[in-house]
Amino acid sequence: MSNTEVTNGRDTLIVSGICALAVLALMALMATPPEASPDWLRSRMLAVHTVVELFAILISGLVVASAWHTLDREKQSNAQVFVVGFVVVMVCDVLHVLTYQGMPPFINESSTPQAIFFWLMGRSAELLTLTAIAFSFVLRWSRWASLAAGLVIAGGIVFFGSFQLEHFPVTFVQGTGVTPFKAGFEYGLTAGNFALALVLLNQARQHKSKEKRLLGLSSFLMGLGGLAFTQYTAPSDFQNIVGHLYKVTAYALLYRAIFITSIRAPFDALQASEAVIRKNQERMRTLGANLINSVLFQVVRSPIGELRFMEVSESIERISGITAADLYANPRLWGDLVIGQDQSLLRSAARRSREALINYDMVVRMLRPDGQQRHMHFVAAPRRLEDGAVVWDGVATDITERVEAEEKRKGLEAQLNHAQKMESIGTLASGIAHDFNNVLAAILGNANMAIEDVKRGDQGEALVGLSQIRKAGSRARALVNQILSFGRRDAMVRSVQPIRPIIEEAITLLRATIPGNVTLVERLEDHNACALVDRTQIEQVLVNLCTNAWHALGDKGGRIAVSSTLVSVDASAALVGALLAGQYVQIRVEDNGCGMDEATRQRVFEPFFTTKGPGKGTGLGLSVVHGIVSSHDGAMTLESSLGGGTKFDVFLPVTDCVESTVAPSVHEGMPDVMGNGERVLYVDDDVVMSRMIERLLKRARFNVSVVHDPDEAVKLLKEDPQTCDVLVTDYNMSGLSGLDLIEIARAQRPGLPTILISGYVSEGLLTLCANANVRVVLEKQKSLHELTAAIEKCLEGAR
């Protein structure tokens, strides 16, 4: 059994005991003849009556005062009923005392009928008031309106009892006692009080209301007291005094009920609310102190710009290295931990939040007092106070581990992407080797025939052969550029450029790879659509998709079709749910191979998922392709069925093409820029390359010295730092590298113009050259037609 049930049971027993004692006392009273009243009571009846009634009047006044000052008028709106009713009760009791027989004249001569009238009116007002309370009758009036209503009703009763009493039925006959009307009126009041007591006690039991229990007990005792007033023959009979005592007791219980409702209950509720608040505050402090990576805070900015922290969880010391007490003392201490580059961002976000009352959500870097750098995620919601101050309620979370994990994930993705590139290059290697062999065969064959033609003196045929050699060399250079571009491990660099040339270049690379039993068909619309893309990555997408299609065809071969077209996607299109409305380039790669079942289609874009046998694939291809397309704000779709082939569609958002001039074609003959005897020191351990460059520069009228050993070049520069006007060196040589040589040369002659040539120019090499202040970096395959212009540029900068 619960504590509440035990308490309710105990209260019920107490009420039952009080009622039983009151009934027994009344039965004993009614069995005693009225003339048994002692002489001292008869001689002092007026004074005893006055004292008892004054106590009842005092209680009535306390009831009105308690209802008047109720703490929660919205909730306790029945307090206004008490104000109206007990103002009437109090006035009637006052007039009852003043008009009691033997009292000096007040408005007119005192008399027992007049006193009885005011008595009956007061009891009636009390019964009606409690009835209204029992049946939840409420007044939506103000206190003053309720008081005025009570005074008006009381004034009417006083006027009638003082000047119109002859119109009221007779209630008392001297020597005989109360009349049947008076007794019947009392019986009616008694019955009403008993019925009201049953209603109130039943409500108390249902709602476990102490207030209703006290009101019900008060009504019960008031009813019993009314029976006593039907038994006396003279006002001095002790039944009259006992009836008054029942009334006073009933009033005391009623006052206790109204006090609990209007004063004590709200006070207890306030104390309970404060206890809940303290408990919640303690819970919040405990929560804040135990947060692993977050700090709860509340900060106020006054209208004049002063900051003040109202609340900071104790976890701040563990996360930021400063204590909450330090922050209360110096509110700007936390912001001072933000590193300089991010402080302006934080101030701007706070200003926008303050001015527009919008939330701010940002990540900044903070430097703890112990030197550790942390990434803090601030989220705060502002609200403005009446005085113009702004309060931010927020949370700051240390997301350093999350940021580091994300950076590590991106690094791994880049490694996987690059690994997949290398896998694709390996797949293309045989075709590229075949294409290079064709190029080399053309070069060697035409070179031999050109030599024979020169020996025979046939200059025309020799020029034809040399022309073919130059074309084959251009083809070889294009192949090298494609491979280097495709395999370069650089960060994604997106720029607006036409899509069709990218597709055509990828197809050209693929034609040298795909075997003869596979037909590669291209259907490219003649459009000038542009997109914001990384050229190398889009080429990788096409190579991967076509390579997968080739593998799906198997040994029997088949057909691969690559097409592109412009499509429009509207807001209601269900084709590609990930796309926004707009115009897209649709690139389709379709094959008539084996296709795939539903289970394979569901997993085809998962990393490391592959249907190939061990050692035949990493399962990274389509995963990387999907990631590249998503990073370009595009989407992919797949249609396939077993035996029905496969169709991949890539959608890239179209953007406006930027105006640009077409790069001039590479000049294949002698360079336009000619020298004027400037001294060039050329260092390269490749004898064939050195011989060719030497002939080129001499024909361009430069005074060139060629050295094949970088150590010999160092010796020359130390003997005579002025031995050359410009130093041109290969990067990758045995012994010293080109950068090492430039560094030594600069030590001998600061400001010496230098040019570095390399077969593979990476971002890392460009960074090293920039740090070494190397004027120009050339790719070796471009040096034939760009070198003379680069030399002239260096010399102009040195003049």
Side-chain angles (χ1 to χ4, degrees), residues 124-140:
S124 299
E126 179 266 342
L127 178 61
L128 290 174
T129 301
L130 293 185
T131 301
I133 297 300
F135 290 97
S136 302
F137 180 78
V138 297
L139 294 176
R140 303 296 180 183

Side-chain angles (χ1 to χ4, degrees), residues 518-532:
V518 175
T519 303
L520 181 59
V521 180
E522 59 178 290
R523 295 191 299 270
L524 307 181
E525 285 190 359
D526 188 16
H527 58 71
N528 296 317
C530 295
L532 182 63

Side-chain angles (χ1 to χ4, degrees), residues 422-443:
M422 295 302 101
E423 180 185 351
S424 299
I425 289 177
T427 304
L428 298 172
S430 59
I432 293 171
H434 174 271
D435 212 13
F436 256 109
N437 285 333
N438 289 339
V439 170
L440 292 176
I443 292 174

Side-chain angles (χ1 to χ4, degrees), residues 34 37-38 41-43 45 100 232 234-241:
S37 180
L41 180 59
R42 293 180 184 277
S43 60
M45 183 61 187
Y100 199 78
Y232 67 89
S236 60
D237 291 345
F238 74 90
Q239 287 92 340
N240 192 2
I241 296 299

Side-chain angles (χ1 to χ4, degrees), residues 229-516:
F229 292 119
T230 65
Q231 302 299 313
Y232 67 89
T233 57
S236 60
D237 291 345
F238 74 90
Q239 287 92 340
N240 192 2
I241 296 299
V242 171
H244 279 79
L245 293 177
Y246 270 88
K247 168 192 168 183
V248 170
T249 304
Y251 272 32
L253 292 172
L254 190 147
Y255 168 71
R256 177 64 177 166
I258 190 63
F259 179 81
I260 291 175
T261 302
S262 301
I263 303 297
R264 184 59 184 270
F267 181 74
D268 290 342
L270 182 61
Q271 285 187 320
S273 178
E274 290 177 346
V276 171
I277 291 174
R278 287 193 297 271
K279 186 176 181 180
N280 287 338
Q281 288 176 337
E282 183 61 29
R283 183 184 296 114
M284 289 301 296
R285 278 194 292 270
T286 302
L287 174 63
N290 291 335
L291 287 174
I292 299 176
N293 293 318
S294 297
V295 178
L296 303 177
F297 65 88
Q298 184 183 77
V299 61
V300 179
R301 186 184 189 275
S302 70
I304 61 175
E306 294 181 350
L307 291 178
R308 178 165 54 96
F309 277 89
M310 303 297 294
E311 187 68 37
V312 179
S313 56
E314 296 178 3
S315 57
I316 188 174
E317 182 175 4
R318 180 173 61 254
I319 295 173
S320 300
I322 58 175
T323 65
D326 293 336
L327 197 57
Y328 288 131
N330 182 5
R332 299 189 180 276
L333 186 59
W334 203 4
D336 292 341
L337 297 180
V338 179
I339 66 174
Q341 297 93 320
D342 292 352
Q343 283 190 358
S344 60
L345 299 176
L346 186 61
R347 285 194 296 267
S348 298
R351 184 180 66 255
R352 290 193 300 270
S353 176
R354 180 180 72 251
E355 293 173 351
L357 287 185
I358 57 176
N359 298 347
Y360 72 80
D361 184 337
M362 65 179 310
V363 176
V364 297
R365 293 164 294 173
M366 302 185 74
L367 195 64
R368 287 169 47 99
D370 59 7
Q372 292 185 38
Q373 179 175 300
R374 313 297 292 175
H375 294 264
M376 297 297 294
H377 181 199
F378 282 88
V379 179
R383 50 192 171 89
R384 196 179 303 280
L385 303 181
E386 293 181 357
D387 62 355
V390 177
V391 179
W392 283 277
D393 304 302
V395 59
T397 304
D398 186 345
I399 60 170
T400 305
E401 285 74 16
R402 190 191 313 169
V403 171
E404 292 176 350
E406 179 66 16
E407 291 175 352
K408 185 177 181 180
R409 183 189 65 80
K410 290 181 178 178
L412 291 174
E413 284 185 353
Q415 292 180 18
L416 290 175
N417 195 345
H418 186 69
Q420 205 283 323
K421 279 186 183 180
M422 295 302 101
E423 180 185 351
S424 299
I425 289 177
T427 304
L428 298 172
S430 59
I432 293 171
H434 174 271
D435 212 13
F436 256 109
N437 285 333
N438 289 339
V439 170
L440 292 176
I443 292 174
L444 293 174
N446 280 287
N448 289 331
M449 286 188 292
I451 292 172
E452 294 296 328
D453 291 336
V454 171
K455 288 180 179 179
R456 291 199 314 268
D458 191 347
Q459 183 177 0
E461 287 297 321
L463 289 175
V464 171
L466 293 174
S467 176
Q468 293 299 317
I469 291 172
R470 185 167 64 185
K471 289 180 180 180
S474 297
R475 171 60 183 155
R477 181 176 59 198
L479 281 173
V480 170
N481 285 337
Q482 286 181 353
I483 295 302
L484 291 178
S485 175
F486 188 77
R488 185 171 285 123
R489 190 175 183 176
D490 297 336
M492 183 175 70
V493 179
R494 295 171 64 182
S495 61
V496 177
Q497 49 190 307
I499 294 298
R500 178 166 178 164
I502 300 176
I503 302 174
E504 291 174 338
E505 186 168 340
I507 292 175
T508 300
L509 186 63
L510 286 162
R511 288 194 185 280
T513 306
I514 294 177

